[in-house]
């Protein structure tokens, strides 16, 4: 049975499962990033979030990020799971696990993964506040596409 | 004839998550103009287009049977 | 009942426990570092490792690292557990969990913690190879004390 | 009179993990010299001294009743 390293799910994510996926006798370091739903953003109180994905393409883009990481940090192992649907405060939206023989690569590759997720993976977040709702886009978080497109094209 | 998938605010604006478009082969930029004129979708300058699950450039051509997705700025993570 | 954020233990560490310790409604990001026992180091095959600690001082130094992180990255929460005793390949030696409202601080503070552990926390590792054994010190990993001492003194 | 705790290779070299030392107040550097001369411990230039669980400098004084630890280069993590 092949374990999926890159997944979009609509159920709670267990970070320890992703740690298991990247474990290896060669690994000396495993980093995880757990993105959780924060209650307050720039003075606005979030009640809950809703994530939507273009699922097949999102999985494909997560794999692309995995390939990019393999190229930049050889011998790392990467697993990423993103949750969609309705998420409450403190719920986990995304988990990234990276294993590597040495810690530097495990940190760098992990941070690279979350940056890239925010650039090229077709997932959208709708914030529901006490008095309204809005779809968020990168431009609102000041991460513009410098040349009008994500820097990935095959 | 090709399929267009809509997400996030575009889906809400259009009131549907999928359009079937009867058209000859057109480029991505011609397609965007069509969306603006015919479907009154806004903020399209911020929107990327994917053809068959790959990001496309303005000069790329949309062919018969393709699945085209409009990708507003993403906000995962 | 107060949960201990900084611990030296002689039982297996569960990373998910540390994640729980730093969870918060203000957190948008939780990073974990999991240090595991690697089979091969510079061409030498490790059979198992043995960690020894000066336990009360090690706990104190872990707390010091926590204080340093609070000062540098306000509003982060940090938990660190280090295991001692005999560890086999792939066993977890240390887990660092950091939560923060934004991801940058969670990565930076986490990496800072492991660097500082390797500088100021009195824990020693003895490598057992197939044909020998040796206590390792920082100097073997090329992390000298620039001025002959860890840069912490109260 | 104070207690000295030994760890890692120093513990193995000395064959014990604790020494009781009968001495007046001495500085850390005097103490290190004593260890070299009397207890034949080696590589002491790499070894830090902690007094009552705090890293100490060469000029710091070890007092009656203190717990002194010899801290070889650490290798946790």
């Amino acid at each position: 049975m092949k374990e999926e390293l890159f997944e979009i799910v609509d159920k709670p994510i267990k970070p320890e499962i992703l740690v298991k996926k990247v474990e290896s006798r060669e690994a000396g370091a495993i980093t995880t990033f757990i993105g959780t739903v924060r209650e307050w953003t720039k003075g606005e109180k979030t009640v809950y979030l809703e994530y939507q994905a273009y699922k097949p393409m999102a999985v494909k883009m997560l794999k692309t990020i995995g390939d990019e990481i393999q190229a930049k940090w050889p011998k790392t192992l990467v697993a990423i799971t993103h949750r969609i649907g309705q998420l409450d405060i403190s719920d986990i939206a995304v988990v990234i696990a990276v294993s590597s023989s040495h810690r530097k690569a495990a940190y760098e590759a992990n941070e690279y993964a979350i940056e890239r997720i925010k650039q090229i993976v077709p997932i959208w977040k709708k914030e529901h506040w006490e008095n309204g709702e809005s779809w968020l886009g990168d431009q609102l978080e000041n991460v513009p596409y410098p040349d009008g497109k994500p820097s990935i094209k095959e | 004839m090709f399929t267009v998938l809509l997400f996030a605010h575009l889906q809400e604006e259009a009131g549907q998550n999928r359009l079937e478009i009867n058209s000859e082969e057109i480029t991505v930029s011609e397609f965007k103009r069509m969306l603006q004129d015919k479907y009154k979708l806004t903020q399209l300058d911020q929107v990327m287009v994917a053809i068959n699950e790959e990001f496309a450039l303005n000069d790329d051509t949309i062919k018969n049977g393709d699945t085209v997705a409009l990708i507003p700025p993403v906000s995962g993570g």
Side-chain angles (χ1 to χ4, degrees), chain A residues 27-154:
Chain A
I30 301 173
T31 52
T32 68
F33 174 84
I34 301 170
T36 54
V37 178
R38 195 173 53 222
E39 183 161 27
W40 293 92
T41 298
K42 291 170 189 157
E44 291 273 15
K45 183 177 180 172
T46 298
V47 181
Y48 67 95
L49 289 186
E50 203 184 321
Y51 280 97
Q52 187 182 70
Y54 177 16
K55 208 168 158 177
M57 183 170 169
V59 170
K60 208 165 174 173
M61 287 298 119
L62 291 178
K63 283 180 184 156
T64 298
I65 293 171
D67 292 343
E68 291 174 4
I69 288 174
Q70 290 296 331
K72 281 172 181 279
W73 294 277
K75 296 193 191 174
T76 50
L77 292 174
V78 187
I80 307 175
T81 302
H82 202 299
R83 185 176 169 189
I84 54 174
Q86 184 178 323
L87 273 77
D88 296 323
I89 305 303
S90 288
D91 278 353
I92 296 173
V94 62
V95 176
I96 302 163
V98 178
S99 73
S100 167
S101 53
H102 295 281
R103 66 185 182 280
K104 198 74 197 168
Y107 280 111
E108 287 179 357
N110 198 304
E111 191 164 6
Y112 177 85
I114 185 68
E115 301 296 337
R116 291 299 275 159
I117 287 171
K118 289 170 180 287
Q119 289 169 353
I120 67 166
V121 180
I123 297 178
W124 300 272
K125 174 163 72 178
K126 189 178 196 175
E127 295 235 27
H128 292 258
W129 305 299
E130 283 173 321
N131 55 359
E133 56 180 47
S134 170
W135 286 102
L136 296 191
D138 255 2
Q139 79 281 16
L140 298 178
E141 302 183 48
N142 302 312
V143 188
Y145 300 136
D147 42 1
K149 61 175 175 54
S151 55
I152 175 76
K153 173 79 175 69
E154 286 166 331

Side-chain angles (χ1 to χ4, degrees), chain A residues 19-28 30 75 77 99-100:
Chain A
V19 171
K20 284 270 169 241
K21 287 181 185 176
V22 301
E23 267 179 7
S24 130
R25 294 175 71 84
E26 283 88 55
I30 301 173
K75 296 193 191 174
L77 292 174
S99 73
S100 167

